[in-house]
mmCIF file of all heavy atoms in Angstrom:
data_model
loop_
_atom_site.group_PDB
_atom_site.id
_atom_site.type_symbol
_atom_site.label_atom_id
_atom_site.label_comp_id
_atom_site.label_asym_id
_atom_site.label_seq_id
_atom_site.Cartn_x
_atom_site.Cartn_y
_atom_site.Cartn_z
ATOM 1 N N THR I 106 -29.523 -5.551 31.178
ATOM 2 C CA THR I 106 -29.099 -6.475 32.234
ATOM 3 C C THR I 106 -28.566 -5.679 33.433
ATOM 4 O O THR I 106 -28.312 -4.481 33.301
ATOM 5 C CB THR I 106 -27.970 -7.388 31.738
ATOM 6 O OG1 THR I 106 -26.900 -6.549 31.286
ATOM 7 C CG2 THR I 106 -28.441 -8.259 30.621
ATOM 8 N N PRO I 107 -28.363 -6.373 34.549
ATOM 9 C CA PRO I 107 -27.778 -5.672 35.704
ATOM 10 C C PRO I 107 -26.354 -5.212 35.457
ATOM 11 O O PRO I 107 -25.790 -4.483 36.276
ATOM 12 C CB PRO I 107 -27.800 -6.727 36.804
ATOM 13 C CG PRO I 107 -28.805 -7.707 36.382
ATOM 14 C CD PRO I 107 -28.812 -7.714 34.895
ATOM 15 N N ASN I 108 -25.792 -5.602 34.341
ATOM 16 C CA ASN I 108 -24.427 -5.212 34.028
ATOM 17 C C ASN I 108 -24.336 -3.755 33.604
ATOM 18 O O ASN I 108 -23.280 -3.263 33.222
ATOM 19 C CB ASN I 108 -23.927 -6.112 32.886
ATOM 20 C CG ASN I 108 -22.430 -6.271 32.907
ATOM 21 O OD1 ASN I 108 -21.808 -6.148 33.929
ATOM 22 N ND2 ASN I 108 -21.863 -6.512 31.747
ATOM 23 N N VAL I 111 -21.686 -1.140 34.989
ATOM 24 C CA VAL I 111 -20.353 -1.543 34.552
ATOM 25 C C VAL I 111 -20.178 -1.230 33.078
ATOM 26 O O VAL I 111 -19.142 -0.713 32.640
ATOM 27 C CB VAL I 111 -20.148 -3.063 34.803
ATOM 28 C CG1 VAL I 111 -18.813 -3.505 34.268
ATOM 29 C CG2 VAL I 111 -20.279 -3.363 36.276
ATOM 30 N N ALA I 112 -21.192 -1.545 32.293
ATOM 31 C CA ALA I 112 -21.120 -1.300 30.850
ATOM 32 C C ALA I 112 -20.937 0.185 30.577
ATOM 33 O O ALA I 112 -20.170 0.570 29.681
ATOM 34 C CB ALA I 112 -22.379 -1.819 30.184
ATOM 35 N N VAL I 115 -17.403 1.068 31.317
ATOM 36 C CA VAL I 115 -16.493 0.523 30.307
ATOM 37 C C VAL I 115 -16.640 1.286 29.003
ATOM 38 O O VAL I 115 -15.648 1.594 28.332
ATOM 39 C CB VAL I 115 -16.775 -0.975 30.104
ATOM 40 C CG1 VAL I 115 -15.973 -1.497 28.935
ATOM 41 C CG2 VAL I 115 -16.438 -1.747 31.357
ATOM 42 N N GLY I 116 -17.858 1.608 28.616
ATOM 43 C CA GLY I 116 -18.070 2.356 27.381
ATOM 44 C C GLY I 116 -17.380 3.705 27.419
ATOM 45 O O GLY I 116 -16.671 4.101 26.473
ATOM 46 N N ALA I 118 -14.951 4.481 29.330
ATOM 47 C CA ALA I 118 -13.506 4.276 29.346
ATOM 48 C C ALA I 118 -12.969 4.001 27.955
ATOM 49 O O ALA I 118 -11.932 4.554 27.546
ATOM 50 C CB ALA I 118 -13.174 3.116 30.287
ATOM 51 N N ALA I 119 -13.670 3.140 27.213
ATOM 52 C CA ALA I 119 -13.212 2.819 25.870
ATOM 53 C C ALA I 119 -13.199 4.069 24.998
ATOM 54 O O ALA I 119 -12.199 4.362 24.329
ATOM 55 C CB ALA I 119 -14.110 1.737 25.272
ATOM 56 N N ALA I 120 -14.305 4.798 25.046
ATOM 57 C CA ALA I 120 -14.378 6.004 24.220
ATOM 58 C C ALA I 120 -13.296 6.989 24.628
ATOM 59 O O ALA I 120 -12.617 7.575 23.769
ATOM 60 C CB ALA I 120 -15.755 6.644 24.360
ATOM 61 N N LEU I 122 -10.450 6.429 26.124
ATOM 62 C CA LEU I 122 -9.096 5.985 25.771
ATOM 63 C C LEU I 122 -8.822 6.249 24.302
ATOM 64 O O LEU I 122 -7.802 6.825 23.930
ATOM 65 C CB LEU I 122 -8.959 4.494 26.090
ATOM 66 C CG LEU I 122 -7.625 3.872 25.674
ATOM 67 C CD1 LEU I 122 -6.495 4.418 26.517
ATOM 68 C CD2 LEU I 122 -7.692 2.358 25.799
ATOM 69 N N TRP I 125 -8.629 9.925 23.531
ATOM 70 C CA TRP I 125 -7.411 10.550 24.008
ATOM 71 C C TRP I 125 -6.222 10.170 23.122
ATOM 72 O O TRP I 125 -5.386 11.006 22.778
ATOM 73 C CB TRP I 125 -7.154 10.109 25.437
ATOM 74 C CG TRP I 125 -5.918 10.677 26.005
ATOM 75 C CD1 TRP I 125 -5.666 11.976 26.293
ATOM 76 C CD2 TRP I 125 -4.734 9.959 26.299
ATOM 77 N NE1 TRP I 125 -4.396 12.106 26.789
ATOM 78 C CE2 TRP I 125 -3.801 10.874 26.805
ATOM 79 C CE3 TRP I 125 -4.365 8.612 26.202
ATOM 80 C CZ2 TRP I 125 -2.534 10.510 27.198
ATOM 81 C CZ3 TRP I 125 -3.090 8.244 26.615
ATOM 82 C CH2 TRP I 125 -2.183 9.197 27.095
ATOM 83 N N LEU I 126 -6.147 8.901 22.740
ATOM 84 C CA LEU I 126 -5.052 8.475 21.882
ATOM 85 C C LEU I 126 -5.064 9.219 20.557
ATOM 86 O O LEU I 126 -4.041 9.717 20.072
ATOM 87 C CB LEU I 126 -5.169 6.967 21.624
ATOM 88 C CG LEU I 126 -4.587 6.051 22.687
ATOM 89 C CD1 LEU I 126 -4.906 4.617 22.342
ATOM 90 C CD2 LEU I 126 -3.106 6.253 22.826
ATOM 91 N N ASP I 129 -4.244 12.840 20.927
ATOM 92 C CA ASP I 129 -2.817 12.999 21.191
ATOM 93 C C ASP I 129 -1.998 12.847 19.914
ATOM 94 O O ASP I 129 -1.006 13.521 19.691
ATOM 95 C CB ASP I 129 -2.383 11.947 22.221
ATOM 96 C CG ASP I 129 -0.962 12.195 22.681
ATOM 97 O OD1 ASP I 129 -0.650 13.349 22.999
ATOM 98 O OD2 ASP I 129 -0.187 11.226 22.714
ATOM 99 N N ASP N 597 -22.267 -16.142 31.669
ATOM 100 C CA ASP N 597 -22.896 -14.917 31.206
ATOM 101 C C ASP N 597 -22.007 -14.334 30.135
ATOM 102 O O ASP N 597 -20.906 -13.852 30.409
ATOM 103 C CB ASP N 597 -23.025 -13.955 32.403
ATOM 104 C CG ASP N 597 -23.795 -12.717 32.051
ATOM 105 O OD1 ASP N 597 -24.159 -12.566 30.866
ATOM 106 O OD2 ASP N 597 -24.018 -11.897 32.947
ATOM 107 N N GLN N 599 -22.219 -11.746 28.501
ATOM 108 C CA GLN N 599 -21.931 -10.326 28.665
ATOM 109 C C GLN N 599 -20.767 -10.101 29.632
ATOM 110 O O GLN N 599 -19.951 -9.204 29.460
ATOM 111 C CB GLN N 599 -23.176 -9.619 29.209
ATOM 112 C CG GLN N 599 -23.531 -8.438 28.381
ATOM 113 C CD GLN N 599 -24.917 -7.979 28.654
ATOM 114 O OE1 GLN N 599 -25.391 -8.018 29.765
ATOM 115 N NE2 GLN N 599 -25.577 -7.527 27.625
ATOM 116 N N ARG N 600 -20.738 -10.979 30.687
ATOM 117 C CA ARG N 600 -19.657 -10.880 31.649
ATOM 118 C C ARG N 600 -18.327 -11.131 30.973
ATOM 119 O O ARG N 600 -17.336 -10.443 31.226
ATOM 120 C CB ARG N 600 -19.866 -11.885 32.759
ATOM 121 C CG ARG N 600 -19.249 -11.511 34.060
ATOM 122 C CD ARG N 600 -19.760 -12.428 35.109
ATOM 123 N NE ARG N 600 -21.097 -12.006 35.503
ATOM 124 C CZ ARG N 600 -21.428 -11.786 36.766
ATOM 125 N NH1 ARG N 600 -20.541 -11.940 37.692
ATOM 126 N NH2 ARG N 600 -22.647 -11.433 37.063
ATOM 127 N N THR N 603 -17.476 -8.190 28.820
ATOM 128 C CA THR N 603 -16.982 -7.082 29.650
ATOM 129 C C THR N 603 -15.536 -7.306 30.017
ATOM 130 O O THR N 603 -14.711 -6.389 29.931
ATOM 131 C CB THR N 603 -17.816 -6.971 30.936
ATOM 132 O OG1 THR N 603 -19.176 -7.116 30.639
ATOM 133 C CG2 THR N 603 -17.550 -5.675 31.649
ATOM 134 N N VAL N 606 -13.272 -6.615 27.027
ATOM 135 C CA VAL N 606 -13.131 -5.183 26.702
ATOM 136 C C VAL N 606 -12.283 -4.479 27.755
ATOM 137 O O VAL N 606 -11.352 -3.726 27.435
ATOM 138 C CB VAL N 606 -14.518 -4.514 26.586
ATOM 139 C CG1 VAL N 606 -14.350 -3.033 26.373
ATOM 140 C CG2 VAL N 606 -15.303 -5.138 25.454
ATOM 141 N N VAL N 607 -12.593 -4.769 29.010
ATOM 142 C CA VAL N 607 -11.821 -4.114 30.078
ATOM 143 C C VAL N 607 -10.359 -4.502 29.982
ATOM 144 O O VAL N 607 -9.462 -3.669 30.128
ATOM 145 C CB VAL N 607 -12.398 -4.497 31.456
ATOM 146 C CG1 VAL N 607 -11.465 -4.068 32.566
ATOM 147 C CG2 VAL N 607 -13.755 -3.876 31.646
ATOM 148 N N SER N 609 -8.671 -5.408 27.332
ATOM 149 C CA SER N 609 -7.964 -4.761 26.232
ATOM 150 C C SER N 609 -7.733 -3.277 26.531
ATOM 151 O O SER N 609 -6.688 -2.724 26.180
ATOM 152 C CB SER N 609 -8.711 -4.930 24.919
ATOM 153 O OG SER N 609 -10.037 -5.226 25.133
ATOM 154 N N ILE N 610 -8.698 -2.658 27.206
ATOM 155 C CA ILE N 610 -8.486 -1.250 27.565
ATOM 156 C C ILE N 610 -7.267 -1.122 28.479
ATOM 157 O O ILE N 610 -6.409 -0.254 28.280
ATOM 158 C CB ILE N 610 -9.737 -0.677 28.251
ATOM 159 C CG1 ILE N 610 -10.877 -0.562 27.260
ATOM 160 C CG2 ILE N 610 -9.438 0.664 28.893
ATOM 161 C CD1 ILE N 610 -12.141 -0.026 27.864
ATOM 162 N N LEU N 611 -7.205 -2.037 29.463
ATOM 163 C CA LEU N 611 -6.080 -1.974 30.398
ATOM 164 C C LEU N 611 -4.759 -2.206 29.684
ATOM 165 O O LEU N 611 -3.751 -1.528 29.954
ATOM 166 C CB LEU N 611 -6.269 -3.008 31.508
ATOM 167 C CG LEU N 611 -7.372 -2.682 32.496
ATOM 168 C CD1 LEU N 611 -7.583 -3.830 33.458
ATOM 169 C CD2 LEU N 611 -7.050 -1.404 33.257
ATOM 170 N N ALA N 613 -4.132 -1.600 26.571
ATOM 171 C CA ALA N 613 -3.831 -0.412 25.771
ATOM 172 C C ALA N 613 -3.267 0.697 26.632
ATOM 173 O O ALA N 613 -2.268 1.341 26.275
ATOM 174 C CB ALA N 613 -5.099 0.049 25.063
ATOM 175 N N VAL N 614 -3.900 0.881 27.794
ATOM 176 C CA VAL N 614 -3.413 1.936 28.686
ATOM 177 C C VAL N 614 -1.990 1.631 29.118
ATOM 178 O O VAL N 614 -1.130 2.516 29.144
ATOM 179 C CB VAL N 614 -4.348 2.066 29.911
ATOM 180 C CG1 VAL N 614 -3.698 2.932 30.970
ATOM 181 C CG2 VAL N 614 -5.673 2.656 29.498
ATOM 182 N N VAL N 617 0.388 2.393 26.341
ATOM 183 C CA VAL N 617 0.536 3.840 26.105
ATOM 184 C C VAL N 617 1.349 4.467 27.227
ATOM 185 O O VAL N 617 2.230 5.294 26.998
ATOM 186 C CB VAL N 617 -0.859 4.505 26.010
ATOM 187 C CG1 VAL N 617 -0.724 6.009 26.120
ATOM 188 C CG2 VAL N 617 -1.515 4.111 24.717
ATOM 189 N N VAL N 618 1.061 4.063 28.436
ATOM 190 C CA VAL N 618 1.725 4.701 29.572
ATOM 191 C C VAL N 618 3.205 4.365 29.618
ATOM 192 O O VAL N 618 4.035 5.209 29.939
ATOM 193 C CB VAL N 618 1.040 4.250 30.883
ATOM 194 C CG1 VAL N 618 1.921 4.537 32.085
ATOM 195 C CG2 VAL N 618 -0.293 4.946 31.033
ATOM 196 N N ARG N 620 5.102 3.638 27.189
ATOM 197 C CA ARG N 620 5.845 3.937 25.960
ATOM 198 C C ARG N 620 6.818 5.086 26.164
ATOM 199 O O ARG N 620 6.477 6.109 26.690
ATOM 200 C CB ARG N 620 4.845 4.283 24.858
ATOM 201 C CG ARG N 620 5.501 4.524 23.511
ATOM 202 C CD ARG N 620 4.468 4.445 22.413
ATOM 203 N NE ARG N 620 3.291 5.231 22.721
ATOM 204 C CZ ARG N 620 3.146 6.531 22.441
ATOM 205 N NH1 ARG N 620 4.132 7.229 21.924
ATOM 206 N NH2 ARG N 620 2.028 7.166 22.742
#
Side-chain angles (χ1 to χ4, degrees):
Chain I
T106 57
N108 207 26
V111 176
V115 172
L122 176 68
W125 179 67
L126 276 175
D129 188 47
Chain N
D597 186 356
Q599 232 164 36
R600 207 169 281 233
T603 317
V606 175
V607 169
S609 21
I610 291 179
L611 289 174
V614 168
V617 166
V618 163
R620 184 163 48 87

